Amino acid sequence: MNTVYISESVALSNNKNFALFGGPCVIESEYVVMHLAEKIKDITMELNIPYVFKASFDKANRSSGNSFRGQGLDDGIRILRKVKDTFDLPIVTDIHESYQADIVAEVADVLQIPAYLCRQTDLLVAAAKTGRVINVKKGQFLAPWDMSNIVKKLEEAGNHNICLTERGTSFGYNNLVVDYRGLEIMKGLNYPVVFDATHSVQIPGGNGTSSGGQREYVPTLARAAASVGIAALFMEIHHDPDHALSDGPNMVPLDQLKDLLTQLQKYDQITKGMV
């Protein structure tokens, strides 16, 4: 089983203590990002959880063309660099187009391929060639074993720094379910597996011009994933989710994060025989 090294402080393995990929869905402002990065880092340091800060500089796949997308590439990268330098944190962020790969790789330690774009060969190859860790979110339309083709594309482009993320599977219209067998199936590809606990409770397009969500089920799904055994948890986190500019209905409230992570650590330790 491959171990993927994101930084000196973060090594991903399905057999080690889980890491956290966490932060707001999108860069709403420099203040919001800096505030959340500081607070989440404090919590993860207290709990001794390896932490990678997550925020998107652009949400290119919003339901409506009028929805807030972020700060754009230039300002977004500047803000992410400030987070990285100020708090000494590794960064994960999405890319949506091939030309963004080299630019974003100057700051981000992990390039994330959105679920909707997970089979885009040119995007995967461009990301792979940067040498950065590549986190591919499994498309809502894919079976877990189909991720083997995506892994092969990245490997053939010369990159073996790969992790694979489960974020739910389409179940009829405007609904997602999680098949936990998929975590084990993807672990069989010999790369770290990440569970996206917040997008898995999303209701895609459920509000007409935006997606809904059921954040009350995040702890349930996250406990199940920790019980299977994963390398990392992906959670979008906000101090005021009800007024967040993107994905608020499925984000974890900041004031609930410490208790949730403490609980998940117990499940993780039992599963991995660390108690």
Side-chain angles (χ1 to χ4, degrees):
M1 181 66 65
N2 288 356
T3 298
V4 170
Y5 296 91
I6 293 176
S7 68
E8 290 184 3
S9 60
V10 183
L12 297 185
S13 169
N14 297 321
N15 301 315
K16 294 183 178 180
N17 293 331
F18 72 82
L20 174 68
F21 290 7
C25 175
V26 67
I27 299 175
E28 297 180 8
S29 69
E30 182 174 318
Y31 170 79
V32 167
V33 164
M34 296 296 286
H35 171 72
L36 286 166
E38 181 178 22
K39 296 299 183 183
I40 299 169
K41 180 179 179 180
D42 287 346
I43 292 169
T44 55
M45 286 189 67
E46 181 179 348
L47 297 178
N48 197 28
I49 295 174
Y51 175 44
V52 182
F53 179 80
K54 183 271 167 187
S56 297
F57 58 84
D58 179 24
K59 299 300 292 186
N61 55 0
R62 295 302 306 273
S63 299
S64 168
N66 295 321
S67 296
F68 180 78
R69 288 181 53 166
Q71 300 299 323
L73 182 59
D74 292 340
D75 275 353
I77 292 301
R78 176 186 62 79
I79 293 169
L80 290 175
R81 187 185 297 278
K82 185 172 181 178
V83 170
K84 185 184 185 80
D85 293 344
T86 302
F87 301 111
D88 191 26
L89 286 172
I91 301 293
V92 54
T93 195
D94 306 281
I95 60 171
H96 297 88
E97 300 186 49
S98 301
Y99 81 88
Q100 295 173 345
D102 286 334
I103 299 169
V104 176
E106 294 179 6
V107 174
D109 303 87
V110 183
L111 301 184
Q112 184 162 276
I113 308 299
Y116 290 122
L117 301 176
C118 68
R119 298 203 315 185
Q120 295 294 104
T121 302
D122 290 347
L123 182 63
L124 291 166
V125 170
K129 288 184 176 179
T130 66
R132 291 298 196 183
V133 175
I134 311 301
N135 181 36
V136 185
K137 290 199 167 184
K138 179 178 74 65
Q140 303 91 324
F141 45 86
L142 285 185
W145 46 85
D146 291 333
M147 292 297 282
S148 62
N149 295 318
I150 292 167
V151 166
K152 187 175 181 180
K153 290 179 183 181
L154 294 169
E155 290 176 338
E156 289 179 345
N159 194 320
H160 291 77
N161 298 315
I162 302 166
C163 48
L164 308 173
T165 295
E166 169 62 51
R167 54 94 71 229
T169 300
S170 295
F171 188 70
Y173 298 124
N174 304 120
N175 194 33
L176 299 172
V177 297
V178 177
D179 179 358
Y180 286 90
R181 296 174 299 178
L183 298 176
E184 288 293 342
I185 292 167
M186 288 197 292
K187 282 197 283 185
L189 299 175
N190 293 319
Y191 286 103
V193 171
V194 182
F195 179 66
D196 183 342
T198 49
H199 285 104
S200 291
V201 300
Q202 191 180 60
I203 303 174
N207 293 336
T209 58
S210 65
S211 292
Q214 297 174 309
R215 74 170 77 103
E216 64 269 26
Y217 295 121
V218 168
T220 302
L221 271 61
R223 286 195 298 266
S227 298
V228 173
I230 50 175
L233 277 164
F234 178 107
M235 291 193 289
E236 291 186 331
I237 303 155
H238 200 278
H239 59 282
D240 187 10
D242 289 335
H243 294 95
L245 299 181
S246 177
D247 270 359
N250 47 264
M251 283 204 275
V252 173
L254 179 63
D255 61 6
Q256 297 177 19
L257 180 63
K258 181 179 176 181
D259 287 346
L260 176 57
L261 290 175
T262 300
Q263 184 182 77
L264 295 174
Q265 279 185 307
K266 296 175 182 177
Y267 283 79
D268 185 59
Q269 290 166 0
I270 291 170
T271 297
K272 295 171 182 174
M274 298 177 182
V275 294

